[in-house]
Amino acid sequence: MNLMFVVNKPIFRSSNSYMGHIKRKYGTKKVGFSGTLDPFATGCLIVATGQYTKLFQYLNKTPKTYRATLWLGANSPSLDIENVDSIRDIQPFDPKVIEQTISSLQGELKYYPPKYSAKKVGGKRAYELAREDKEVELKKINSTIKQIKMINYNHPFVHFEATVSEGTYIRSLGAIIAEKLGCDATLSSLHRLREGDFEYQNEKPINPFEHLKIPRNIYYGDDGYIELGKKLSIEYFEDKQDGVYLVESANFFSIIEIKDGIVSYRLNRLSKFSL
């Protein structure tokens, strides 16, 4: 069974453990997902079964849009509600100050990712070192904050929405906002609304071949060569420039790469989408 769809990941479930539920629900053993959500986060998670699990790296999944709640006065080493270690009462802010602070993050942003993240440090995940109370030295990363705005402020909770480039840590955005305001704060909720064109629609099956970030190429040779995975000659392709392409035969799609006049398969005999 080859399917691709978007699930609404529930709170306090890891993305990986939630796949057990998906396997049982759809009666399949081969399930994968793209774009891990933290356990406390909810929302859009792209899931695929069968052959379609091979397509994640080729999907157009950016920009990503999130809604988050920042809890002013709460402190957490992981920058989320799972590890809150102190809560302080702080005076309310002028809503305009918070709105301006959030808006100031729009554009190119350079910052440190959370210490509790999957970034590798000396061969180990940063969160593993943090849990062992070891020093975590991370390098700054760059993100593009395409749009960010305050949705509502009901002290001590600030609700905001952000559309960002892939790899952006919303927990870090919350920490930057807190630093600019001069107080402790942590994310108490995080919901991913969409990844590129992908959004939750009651797990409606998606045609993945309509959402690839690679161009199509036309093969004018014998379809049987693609159907059987035989070696392909560049002379039969419409576009002969170096690159990665999607090509179609009567029954399958394949992803091929052209490099220095040589054609090779990246993925072959991917079944066409059908309901």
Side-chain angles (χ1 to χ4, degrees):
M1 180 175 64
N2 301 311
L3 283 175
M4 185 172 287
F5 50 91
V6 173
V7 301
N8 185 27
K9 189 193 82 68
I11 194 168
F12 298 138
R13 290 283 298 274
S14 72
S15 300
N16 192 54
S17 70
Y18 191 58
M19 291 306 101
H21 164 74
I22 298 299
K23 288 178 181 179
R24 292 189 296 273
K25 182 175 181 178
Y26 288 92
T28 182
K29 294 182 178 180
K30 190 172 184 180
V31 172
F33 65 90
S34 175
T36 301
L37 283 169
D38 292 326
F40 90 103
T42 63
C44 172
L45 189 67
I46 304 170
V47 172
T49 69
Q51 289 182 309
Y52 288 177
T53 57
K54 302 173 183 178
L55 292 171
F56 288 133
Q57 64 178 305
Y58 302 105
L59 295 176
N60 188 0
K61 300 175 293 180
T62 190
K64 302 174 187 287
T65 300
Y66 297 85
R67 279 188 184 161
T69 300
L70 188 63
W71 182 3
L72 303 179
N75 184 73
S76 168
S78 60
L79 307 180
D80 62 48
I81 200 171
E82 289 194 273
N83 294 284
V84 173
D85 57 15
S86 67
I87 302 172
R88 296 179 181 177
D89 289 328
I90 59 174
Q91 291 298 313
F93 289 89
D94 182 337
K96 289 184 178 179
V97 171
I98 293 180
E99 188 172 10
Q100 291 169 358
T101 301
I102 291 173
S103 297
S104 70
L105 301 188
Q106 189 161 313
E108 299 300 316
L109 190 65
K110 192 171 186 177
Y111 61 98
Y112 289 105
K115 290 184 178 181
Y116 283 78
S117 69
K119 288 284 186 183
K120 282 196 172 182
V121 181
K124 292 192 72 173
R125 300 291 185 185
Y127 66 78
E128 294 175 336
L129 296 172
R131 288 170 182 167
E132 295 170 2
D133 291 324
K134 293 181 179 179
E135 190 66 26
V136 181
E137 294 186 8
L138 294 168
K139 295 180 180 179
K140 284 188 174 183
I141 61 174
N142 294 299
S143 290
T144 301
I145 315 302
K146 296 181 179 293
Q147 186 177 21
I148 186 167
K149 60 182 179 180
M150 185 179 80
I151 301 297
N152 184 45
Y153 172 40
N154 184 17
H155 190 74
F157 299 105
V158 178
H159 308 277
F160 67 94
E161 184 175 303
T163 298
V164 300
S165 60
E166 195 158 5
T168 300
Y169 289 92
I170 307 300
R171 286 179 291 151
S172 290
L173 297 189
I176 294 169
I177 294 168
E179 184 178 6
K180 287 178 175 286
L181 292 174
C183 67
D184 288 338
T186 193
L187 290 192
S188 61
S189 72
L190 178 63
H191 182 77
R192 185 158 62 200
L193 293 170
R194 63 185 62 89
E195 291 191 82
D197 293 331
F198 294 89
E199 60 183 339
Y200 177 64
Q201 294 182 325
N202 296 315
E203 299 181 12
K204 177 183 176 182
I206 296 167
N207 183 352
F209 303 106
E210 294 179 353
H211 299 279
L212 301 182
K213 59 184 177 183
I214 57 175
R216 293 197 183 206
N217 206 337
I218 297 176
Y219 178 70
Y220 293 110
D222 186 343
D223 257 12
Y225 277 65
I226 294 179
E227 302 258 319
L228 297 174
K230 291 184 176 182
K231 187 174 181 179
L232 304 175
S233 174
I234 192 171
E235 64 181 296
Y236 293 107
F237 284 91
E238 180 177 68
D239 192 338
K240 299 176 176 58
Q241 295 184 40
D242 285 3
V244 177
Y245 301 95
L246 180 71
V247 293
E248 181 180 1
S249 65
N251 300 299
F252 300 102
F253 281 109
S254 293
I255 294 178
I256 58 101
E257 182 176 12
I258 297 176
K259 187 174 182 180
D260 299 328
I262 304 299
V263 182
S264 59
Y265 290 101
R266 283 200 172 186
L267 293 173
N268 191 27
R269 293 173 55 82
L270 295 164
S271 297
K272 289 188 171 181
F273 172 78
S274 62
L275 290 174

